Coordinates of all heavy atoms in Angstrom, one line a residue:
G7 N -4.2 -25.5 -58.0 CA -3.1 -26.1 -57.5 C -1.9 -25.2 -57.5 O -1.4 -24.8 -58.6
R13 N 4.5 -22.5 -60.0 CA 5.5 -21.4 -59.9 C 5.9 -21.0 -61.3 O 5.9 -19.8 -61.7 CB 6.7 -21.9 -59.1 CG 7.6 -20.8 -58.6 CD 8.6 -21.4 -57.6 NE 7.9 -22.2 -56.6 CZ 8.5 -23.3 -56.0 NH1 9.7 -23.7 -56.3 NH2 7.8 -23.9 -55.1
A25 N -2.6 -11.3 -70.1 CA -3.0 -12.3 -69.1 C -3.2 -11.7 -67.7 O -2.4 -10.9 -67.3 CB -1.9 -13.4 -68.9
D26 N -4.3 -12.0 -67.1 CA -4.6 -11.5 -65.8 C -4.9 -12.7 -64.9 O -5.9 -13.5 -65.1 CB -5.9 -10.6 -65.8 CG -6.4 -10.2 -64.4 OD1 -5.6 -10.3 -63.5 OD2 -7.6 -9.9 -64.3
D32 N -6.0 -23.6 -53.9 CA -5.2 -24.6 -53.4 C -5.8 -25.0 -52.0 O -6.3 -24.1 -51.3 CB -3.7 -24.2 -53.2 CG -2.8 -25.4 -53.0 OD1 -2.8 -26.1 -52.0 OD2 -2.0 -25.7 -54.0
I38 N -0.8 -20.4 -51.6 CA -1.3 -19.3 -52.3 C -0.6 -18.0 -51.8 O -0.1 -17.2 -52.6 CB -2.8 -19.1 -52.1 CG1 -3.6 -20.3 -52.8 CG2 -3.3 -17.8 -52.6 CD1 -5.0 -20.4 -52.4
V48 N 0.4 -11.0 -58.8 CA -0.8 -11.9 -58.6 C -1.4 -11.6 -57.2 O -2.3 -12.3 -56.8 CB -0.5 -13.4 -58.8 CG1 0.1 -13.7 -60.1 CG2 0.5 -13.9 -57.7
H57 N -11.7 -25.7 -56.0 CA -11.7 -25.3 -57.4 C -13.1 -25.1 -57.9 O -13.3 -24.2 -58.8 CB -10.9 -26.3 -58.3 CG -11.7 -27.6 -58.5 ND1 -11.8 -28.6 -57.6 CD2 -12.4 -28.0 -59.6 CE1 -12.5 -29.5 -58.1 NE2 -12.9 -29.2 -59.3
E59 N -15.6 -23.8 -56.3 CA -16.1 -22.5 -55.8 C -15.4 -21.4 -56.7 O -16.1 -20.5 -57.1 CB -15.7 -22.3 -54.4 CG -16.2 -21.0 -53.8 CD -17.7 -20.8 -53.8 OE1 -18.5 -21.8 -53.7 OE2 -18.2 -19.7 -54.1
H75 N -1.6 -35.8 -60.4 CA -2.0 -36.4 -61.7 C -3.5 -36.9 -61.6 O -4.2 -36.8 -62.5 CB -1.1 -37.4 -62.1 CG 0.3 -37.0 -62.2 ND1 1.4 -37.8 -62.0 CD2 0.8 -35.8 -62.5 CE1 2.5 -37.1 -62.1 NE2 2.2 -35.9 -62.5
R87 N -16.8 -27.9 -68.1 CA -18.3 -27.8 -67.9 C -18.6 -26.4 -67.4 O -19.8 -26.0 -67.6 CB -18.7 -28.9 -66.9 CG -18.7 -30.3 -67.5 CD -19.0 -31.3 -66.5 NE -19.0 -32.7 -67.1 CZ -18.5 -33.8 -66.5 NH1 -18.1 -33.7 -65.2 NH2 -18.5 -34.9 -67.1
C100 N -5.0 -39.9 -66.3 CA -4.3 -41.1 -66.0 C -4.7 -42.3 -66.8 O -4.2 -43.4 -66.7 CB -4.4 -41.5 -64.5 SG -3.5 -40.3 -63.5
R132 N 9.8 -29.5 -83.3 CA 8.8 -29.3 -84.4 C 9.5 -29.7 -85.7 O 8.8 -30.3 -86.6 CB 8.4 -27.8 -84.4 CG 7.6 -27.4 -83.2 CD 7.3 -25.9 -83.2 NE 6.4 -25.6 -84.3 CZ 5.1 -25.4 -84.2 NH1 4.6 -25.5 -83.0 NH2 4.4 -25.0 -85.2
Q147 N 10.2 -47.5 -87.8 CA 9.9 -48.8 -87.4 C 10.1 -49.0 -85.9 O 9.6 -49.9 -85.2 CB 10.9 -49.8 -88.1 CG 10.7 -49.9 -89.6 CD 9.4 -50.5 -90.0 OE1 9.0 -51.5 -89.4 NE2 8.8 -49.9 -91.0
A151 N 14.3 -44.4 -76.5 CA 14.5 -43.2 -75.7 C 15.0 -43.6 -74.3 O 14.7 -44.7 -73.8 CB 13.2 -42.4 -75.6
M152 N 15.8 -42.7 -73.8 CA 16.3 -42.9 -72.4 C 16.1 -41.6 -71.6 O 16.3 -40.5 -72.2 CB 17.7 -43.3 -72.4 CG 18.2 -43.7 -71.0 SD 20.0 -43.7 -70.8 CE 20.3 -42.0 -70.4
Q153 N 15.7 -41.7 -70.4 CA 15.6 -40.6 -69.6 C 16.4 -40.8 -68.4 O 16.3 -41.7 -67.6 CB 14.1 -40.4 -69.2 CG 13.9 -39.1 -68.4 CD 12.4 -38.8 -68.3 OE1 11.6 -39.3 -69.1 NE2 12.1 -37.9 -67.4
W157 N 15.1 -38.9 -60.4 CA 13.7 -38.6 -60.1 C 13.3 -38.9 -58.6 O 12.7 -38.1 -57.9 CB 12.8 -39.4 -61.1 CG 11.3 -39.2 -60.9 CD1 10.6 -38.1 -61.4 CD2 10.4 -40.0 -60.1 NE1 9.3 -38.2 -61.0 CE2 9.1 -39.4 -60.3 CE3 10.5 -41.1 -59.4 CZ2 8.0 -39.9 -59.6 CZ3 9.4 -41.6 -58.8 CH2 8.1 -41.0 -58.9
K164 N 7.0 -37.4 -51.2 CA 6.0 -36.4 -51.7 C 4.9 -37.1 -52.4 O 4.9 -38.3 -52.7 CB 6.7 -35.4 -52.6 CG 7.8 -34.6 -51.9 CD 8.5 -33.6 -52.7 CE 9.6 -32.9 -51.9 NZ 10.4 -32.1 -52.7
D179 N 4.9 -39.7 -64.5 CA 5.3 -38.3 -64.2 C 6.3 -37.8 -65.3 O 5.9 -37.5 -66.4 CB 6.0 -38.3 -62.8 CG 6.3 -36.9 -62.3 OD1 5.3 -36.1 -62.3 OD2 7.4 -36.6 -62.0
S182 N 6.3 -39.6 -68.8 CA 5.2 -39.3 -69.8 C 5.8 -38.5 -70.9 O 5.2 -38.5 -72.0 CB 4.0 -38.6 -69.1 OG 4.3 -37.3 -68.7
H183 N 6.9 -37.7 -70.7 CA 7.4 -37.0 -71.8 C 7.9 -37.9 -73.0 O 7.9 -37.5 -74.1 CB 8.6 -36.1 -71.4 CG 8.2 -34.9 -70.6 ND1 7.7 -33.8 -71.2 CD2 8.2 -34.6 -69.3 CE1 7.4 -32.9 -70.3 NE2 7.7 -33.3 -69.2

Side-chain angles (χ1 to χ4, degrees):
R13 198 171 310 148
D26 172 20
D32 200 289
I38 294 172
V48 303
H57 74 284
E59 185 60 35
H75 307 148
R87 289 175 181 145
C100 293
R132 292 175 67 100
Q147 300 288 318
M152 188 198 85
Q153 185 164 343
W157 182 82
K164 299 181 180 168
D179 190 55
S182 69
H183 283 285

